[in-house]
Amino acid sequence: MRNSIRFRLWSAAAISIVIALAIAGVGLRYLFELNVERRVVSELTVDLNELIGATSFAADGRLSVASTLADQRFANPLSGHYWQVEDLATHQLVRSAFAMGCNARLARTAGQW
């Protein structure tokens, strides 16, 4: 039975299908990862641009951020969406109302700023 043409054709077909499924799986995983990464970068860019637009300096030179942002997740407590702006000259921090005391310090490497 192992030398029959039917067995050899079925074996070749099964092996070909397994290889095709493996290649398709790897390709789909890559495309999904790329799509999710692009979407997250796009959302973060929109949030950053909105936060930059809402940031200004008061008459006394203190940093201030408008309290209303379009994304309501920033206004919900424990939503996981918080913002923090730092004045690099005075190291003054302005945070979202629900940051709950988190202190996010960014590591500054040489030449990054």
Side-chain angles (χ1 to χ4, degrees), residues 8-98:
R8 286 185 277 171
L9 285 174
W10 275 104
S11 298
I15 292 170
S16 298
I17 289 172
V18 168
I19 291 172
L21 285 174
I23 291 171
V26 169
L28 287 174
R29 181 185 174 278
Y30 171 74
L31 289 175
F32 177 75
E33 184 178 318
L34 188 65
N35 183 42
V36 168
E37 185 177 326
R38 283 182 185 169
R39 186 180 60 86
V40 168
V41 166
S42 174
E43 287 179 10
L44 289 175
T45 302
V46 168
D47 291 340
L48 178 63
N49 287 338
E50 183 179 5
L51 189 58
I52 289 170
T55 303
S56 63
F57 286 95
D60 61 354
R62 294 180 54 89
L63 185 65
S64 66
V65 177
S67 61
T68 57
L69 296 174
D71 192 348
Q72 291 302 311
R73 293 178 292 184
F74 291 111
N76 294 334
L78 301 176
S79 68
H81 288 80
Y82 311 111
W83 54 263
Q84 173 177 304
V85 179
E86 179 181 7
D87 183 355
L88 295 178
T90 64
H91 300 289
Q92 173 197 359
L93 292 175
V94 179
R95 297 183 185 138
S96 61
F98 299 110

